[in-house]
Amino acid sequence: MTEKNVVSASVGRALSHQLQEADWLADWRESAWTSFQTLEKPWLEKTDLKRCQFEVVEKSPSTGSHLEARKLFESVTGSAVLILGNRIEAIRLTEEDKKNGVVLMSLHEASHTHRHLLEKYLGSVVPSSHSKWAALNAAAFQAGVLLYIPRHVEVSSDILIIRSEEEALESAYPRTLVIADTGAKARVAEMQFAKPAATSAAATSDVWEVVAENDARLEIGLIDEILAGPYRFYTRRAKLGKDAEVNWYAASTGDGLAVSDIESLLDGNGSRSNTRVLGTAVGRMHHDLTAKMTHAGRYSESDIVMHGVLRQKANAVFRSCTEIVKGAVEAGSEQHDRMILVDSTARADAIPMLLIDENDVKRCGHAASVGKIDPNQIYYLMSRGISEKLATRMIIWGYFEETILSLPVEEAVREAFVARLEKELD
Amino acid sequence: MSVPQLVIEGLHVTVEGKEIVKGLDLTVGGGEIHAIMGPNGTGKSTLASALMGHPKYEVTGGRVTLDGQDLLSMSVDERARAGLFLAMQYPAEVPGVSNANFIRQSLNARAGEGNEIPVLKFHRQLQEKMKKLNIDASFAERYLNEGFSGGEKKRNEILQMSMLEPRIAILDEIDSGLDIDALKIVAEGVNNLKSPQTGFLIITHYQRLLNYIVPDRVHVMMQGRIVKSGGRELAEYLEAHGYDELKAELGIEDESVQAGV
Ligand SMILES: Nc1ncnc2c1ncn2[C@@H]1O[C@H](COP(=O)(O)OP(=O)(O)OP(=O)(O)O)[C@@H](O)[C@H]1O
Ligand SMILES: [Mg+2]
């Protein structure tokens, strides 16, 4: 497999040409490339990025077998996309979704066929100026996916995007654009498969851009497998119209290094958003995760619930951040973070943040805790004959159960995730 | 199976550096019902927790055997699997773990690998026992003790006991907070299990429970030890006269654990 660092000034344009995109998208990438180069190297309070190298890494197409990903693609019945490395391998639309005008296709192709949609929405929620890694993604994204749900269409089956990486950096810049038009409803999720790789200084950047127009409703599942390798940056951001609702369910496992942001921009009056995070971390994982709610709309409401379980020498920083900007009267928000340290060598921070510029808020609160499992719970389970190991597992599973059951995915996907979690917690 | 026997000899228990149980002797055999009574804070729950092996309660002296085996060297789960059961005064709440799953895992832990109880048989048994204890069927899937009322927690402890069929059952204030109907149901749960295969140690403040569960022996605990033992008439005497007369008779001024030497 060949790997080369591309430093030429026209990287965006070259890639666009290679992917046979429309000229306007080549220009769009090119301007992203310019912002990428001008943006300062980022600094994070809790994550050391000194060694991290921000540059575009190009990889030749994947030659792996991707058995797990292929199997899952075959076992789901809803519309689905299968992405192997940086190539979209297959796209399947159900008859019903097709009939309803649901669009599920490559962003590259959509630059010709759905130019108006892309020009309106691409980069509207995650602009290149958002961060250096967002700009990196905009310039270099590959295997981009567009999902568009037309006005008032309610998708009845769960939509799934499968991304599989068998060699390091072979899917370094995935991008997904989801648009739920006025009154549309859908459940959509992405499940990632990864393989362990040697640690490297390279940066990957994964972007989910979500638009929920007025009255739209989206349930979004993100199942990330964060294994050791490069520095992984995830930007998942939704923008909500009037009375729209977006609920995120983000589950991650692994021993890698990641900086994840999940944010809802509650622009519309009466919009609402919930974020549930389930994270397990093993080995020497470092996970710097921020779940953010930005309230601009009046009567907008949000909740953040984060559950982390850390083992071995893992380290996690889970931030929940609620911002209520001036004018967002009667907005309300609640945060609950709980992180369990299974081993005394693990470390965790739960950092709640409230930034409130409006006096007239409805409810606002946070609760955060970091610690061991309550010894009285373990004692109680053991007092009926259950071993300490099983008691610990039962309590941890109990703690994750609600999030696992809420994942907007078909049972085959849930089972695959539960199997992964079981392996991780064993 | 042999008749169970719990033997406690000269037991001393310390909590957070403070000695609470100060030399306690007691033997409970299969088919016997022993009641422990005594004023608040005299070490009754401490005794029960130490026997079960709660990590906060440190045994600093004495011996305890269950069926001849050294109980104190066993971990909490080993004690349970050896046949010890404690219905707790304040059981923990465990969100996310359903009652049914908890009880099934407990049964399977005792049965051992390869002897797991079939799922359907388990649920049939569970529903049967829940019905007898007047527990709503929905409690099987409720999270363990989460949002249960005081009385519901007590009945849930008895449900676990009747499913597990222990060799020695310790019930710590299983009657407190129960109305008379619930009390009768709980007592029936205990009486149903009464056989030479099970011995009971029942901690209570009230004679009224002992109207329904008739004890063979009644012990009074003060200052971290048993200060008087007798038949069921001792409970009636205490009900009629209170603890003060007994204290005067025994020459005890302060019955709390701080006072004892
Ligand atoms: N976990 C603990 N931590 C600190 N002190 C404790 C603990 N458990 C018991 N104690 C102390 O030990 C003494 C005896 O308490 P215990 O609960 O055994 O009494 P009891 O006889 O069961 O009382 P009650 O009838 O009120 O239930 C009390 O002074 C109590 O404060
Ligand atoms: Mg007590």
Side-chain angles (χ1 to χ4, degrees):
Chain A
M1 195 145 282
T2 58
E3 178 178 320
K4 61 182 198 278
N5 294 339
V6 183
V7 285
S8 104
S10 60
V11 65
R13 195 173 299 284
L15 187 64
S16 194
H17 184 74
Q18 197 187 310
L19 294 165
Q20 301 179 333
E21 293 171 347
D23 291 342
W24 73 266
L25 188 51
D27 296 340
W28 189 86
R29 284 181 185 268
E30 204 49 37
S31 90
W33 178 245
T34 310
S35 12
F36 170 67
Q37 284 174 312
T38 41
L39 280 164
E40 289 286 312
K41 182 166 175 178
W43 179 88
L44 294 173
E45 196 185 339
K46 299 274 184 182
T47 302
D48 184 0
L49 297 179
K50 272 202 294 291
R51 252 176 27 89
C52 178
Q53 280 168 19
F54 287 95
E55 49 193 36
V56 177
V57 179
E58 230 190 307
K59 277 262 180 175
S60 48
S62 179
T63 55
S65 55
H66 302 276
L67 286 178
E68 274 183 290
R70 286 180 191 275
K71 204 178 121 218
L72 190 64
F73 182 73
E74 291 312 321
S75 56
V76 295
T77 58
S79 295
V81 186
L82 175 65
I83 300 153
L84 309 179
N86 56 20
R87 178 182 83 245
I88 297 180
E89 176 76 8
I91 298 179
R92 192 179 55 221
L93 260 183
T94 64
E95 284 308 316
E96 186 188 332
D97 288 354
K98 220 179 283 173
K99 200 180 79 214
N100 284 330
V102 172
V103 176
L104 184 60
M105 70 190 302
S106 117
L107 275 173
H108 320 291
E109 195 187 331
S111 68
H112 299 282
T113 57
H114 293 78
R115 177 176 175 169
H116 58 290
L117 266 184
L118 264 55
E119 279 190 321
K120 183 169 175 195
Y121 293 114
L122 191 69
S124 69
V125 187
V126 183
S128 298
S129 57
H130 180 261
S131 59
K132 190 154 178 103
W133 49 88
L136 174 63
N137 178 286
F141 75 86
Q142 291 186 62
V145 172
L146 166 68
L147 170 64
Y148 171 76
I149 323 284
R151 295 168 72 93
H152 301 296
V153 166
E154 294 187 17
V155 179
S156 65
S157 51
D158 297 346
I159 299 169
L160 180 67
I161 299 168
I162 301 168
R163 291 188 186 269
S164 173
E165 182 178 78
E166 294 210 332
E167 280 203 39
L169 304 171
E170 82 183 1
S171 154
Y173 318 108
R175 190 177 188 105
T176 304
L177 172 61
V178 176
I179 303 152
D181 213 330
T182 307
K185 284 193 177 67
R187 289 157 53 93
V188 51
E190 177 173 296
M191 179 152 188
Q192 299 191 346
F193 291 89
K195 287 269 190 304
T199 53
S200 84
T204 70
S205 176
D206 181 322
V207 169
W208 261 70
E209 228 174 347
V210 175
V211 180
E213 292 289 10
N214 298 348
D215 286 312
R217 177 168 180 168
L218 286 169
E219 305 282 310
I220 302 173
L222 302 165
I223 304 176
D224 299 329
E225 186 162 35
I226 304 172
L227 297 187
Y231 289 74
R232 298 175 196 272
F233 294 88
Y234 297 87
T235 312
R236 277 75 182 254
R237 215 165 186 227
K239 193 180 197 151
L240 286 78
K242 183 175 166 297
D243 297 319
E245 179 166 344
V246 172
N247 297 320
W248 299 97
Y249 306 90
S252 65
T253 54
D255 61 356
L257 192 162
V259 176
S260 321
D261 285 296
I262 303 166
E263 182 177 4
S264 291
L265 304 168
L266 295 131
D267 289 357
N269 294 341
S271 58
R272 65 162 302 129
S273 181
N274 293 323
T275 297
R276 284 192 82 97
V277 172
L278 174 171
T280 65
V282 294
R284 295 185 165 274
M285 187 187 217
H286 178 89
H287 198 182
D288 183 327
L289 182 146
T290 305
K292 187 169 183 198
M293 296 290 177
T294 305
H295 291 257
R298 286 179 284 133
Y299 303 96
S300 56
E301 295 220 34
S302 70
D303 285 289
I304 299 173
V305 177
M306 304 212 272
H307 288 147
V309 168
L310 287 88
R311 298 172 57 204
Q312 296 153 357
K313 294 192 167 167
N315 168 335
V317 183
F318 280 15
R319 280 182 217 83
S320 49
C321 178
T322 301
E323 184 174 351
I324 299 184
V325 306
K326 188 126 197 78
V329 297
E330 291 287 320
S333 175
E334 214 86 46
Q335 306 172 356
H336 290 273
D337 309 348
R338 171 103 170 89
M339 305 184 66
I340 290 181
L341 305 173
V342 177
D343 300 316
S344 53
T345 42
R347 282 189 297 134
D349 286 302
I351 307 175
M353 291 186 281
L354 296 173
L355 310 165
I356 300 175
D357 276 332
E358 172 56 52
N359 292 324
D360 180 15
V361 296
K362 186 153 70 191
R363 64 187 172 107
C364 221
H366 63 80
S369 70
V370 176
K372 295 215 153 259
I373 297 174
D374 180 353
N376 281 315
Q377 293 181 336
I378 303 261
Y379 164 69
Y380 188 49
L381 266 55
M382 286 177 76
S383 81
R384 301 303 185 242
I386 296 168
S387 71
E388 183 170 4
K389 193 171 170 206
L390 181 58
T392 306
R393 277 185 59 120
M394 284 169 73
I395 293 166
I396 290 174
W397 276 98
Y399 176 70
F400 282 161
E401 184 175 87
E402 204 175 327
T403 306
I404 295 173
L405 293 178
S406 320
L407 282 168
V409 294
E410 293 180 27
E411 282 321 299
V413 183
R414 202 180 323 279
E415 279 164 24
F417 173 63
V418 165
R420 179 186 291 175
L421 203 53
E422 237 156 27
K423 232 164 67 194
E424 173 126 333
L425 292 174
D426 202 29
Chain B
M1 234 200 228
S2 63
V3 173
Q5 192 174 42
L6 178 74
V7 181
I8 307 169
E9 292 169 316
L11 186 70
H12 288 253
V13 183
T14 299
V15 188
E16 294 188 338
K18 211 167 69 178
E19 181 162 75
I20 306 293
V21 174
K22 306 171 183 186
L24 187 136
D25 300 283
L26 184 65
T27 298
V28 179
E32 297 173 5
I33 296 182
H34 292 248
I36 293 192
M37 305 185 77
N40 292 120
T42 50
K44 303 182 297 295
S45 293
T46 301
L47 168 68
S49 300
L51 291 175
M52 197 68 244
H54 191 292
K56 263 195 129 168
Y57 297 78
E58 192 195 346
V59 174
T60 49
R63 256 167 58 85
V64 182
T65 58
L66 176 58
D67 303 336
Q69 280 187 297
D70 179 9
L71 191 74
L72 299 177
S73 67
M74 298 182 204
S75 61
V76 176
D77 54 323
E78 284 169 344
R79 294 177 198 206
R81 293 197 297 271
L84 189 67
F85 180 90
L86 169 59
M88 300 191 194
Q89 190 174 1
Y90 305 109
E93 301 186 1
V94 191
V97 175
S98 78
N99 228 352
N101 184 33
F102 170 55
I103 297 175
R104 195 164 63 88
Q105 297 288 0
S106 304
L107 279 168
N108 286 342
R110 276 184 78 175
E113 247 180 81
N115 299 317
E116 286 88 353
I117 172 167
V119 176
L120 282 178
K121 186 176 163 200
F122 165 76
H123 280 283
R124 203 169 344 103
Q125 262 182 29
L126 183 68
Q127 290 301 338
E128 238 168 65
K129 304 236 151 140
M130 286 173 70
K131 210 164 163 187
K132 275 200 182 136
L133 288 166
N134 205 10
I135 298 174
D136 191 85
S138 67
F139 275 65
E141 290 315 316
R142 288 269 299 270
Y143 291 150
L144 193 45
N145 291 326
E146 194 186 47
F148 287 25
S149 72
E152 285 164 352
K153 283 182 184 168
K154 303 281 171 180
R155 265 180 287 170
N156 203 38
E157 293 290 288
I158 295 301
L159 172 66
Q160 292 168 39
M161 182 187 76
S162 50
M163 290 294 288
L164 287 167
E165 301 183 349
R167 292 172 67 72
I168 296 288
I170 306 169
L171 311 181
D172 192 357
E173 295 203 19
I174 202 67
D175 51 337
S176 61
L178 293 187
D179 59 41
I180 194 71
D181 292 334
L183 185 79
K184 281 185 195 164
I185 290 168
V186 162
E188 204 182 302
V190 173
N191 288 326
N192 281 339
L193 202 61
K194 205 183 155 187
S195 84
Q197 294 308 315
T198 306
F200 288 94
L201 185 58
I202 295 174
I203 298 169
T204 181
H205 285 284
Y206 307 108
Q207 149 70 21
R208 63 169 195 164
L209 177 69
L210 305 179
N211 289 337
Y212 299 100
I213 306 173
V214 180
D216 301 298
R217 300 288 291 163
V218 175
H219 312 276
V220 179
M221 222 173 140
M222 286 185 190
Q223 299 177 335
R225 66 170 77 83
I226 290 172
V227 293
K228 191 168 177 79
S229 297
R232 59 180 300 196
E233 69 288 346
L234 178 56
E236 285 154 17
Y237 170 87
L238 290 172
E239 183 78 6
H241 302 271
Y243 287 108
D244 285 344
E245 217 159 298
L246 181 67
K247 276 161 62 184
E249 180 196 320
L250 296 171
I252 294 173
E253 278 180 16
D254 180 356
E255 76 280 8
S256 77
V257 292
Q258 280 85 354
V261 194

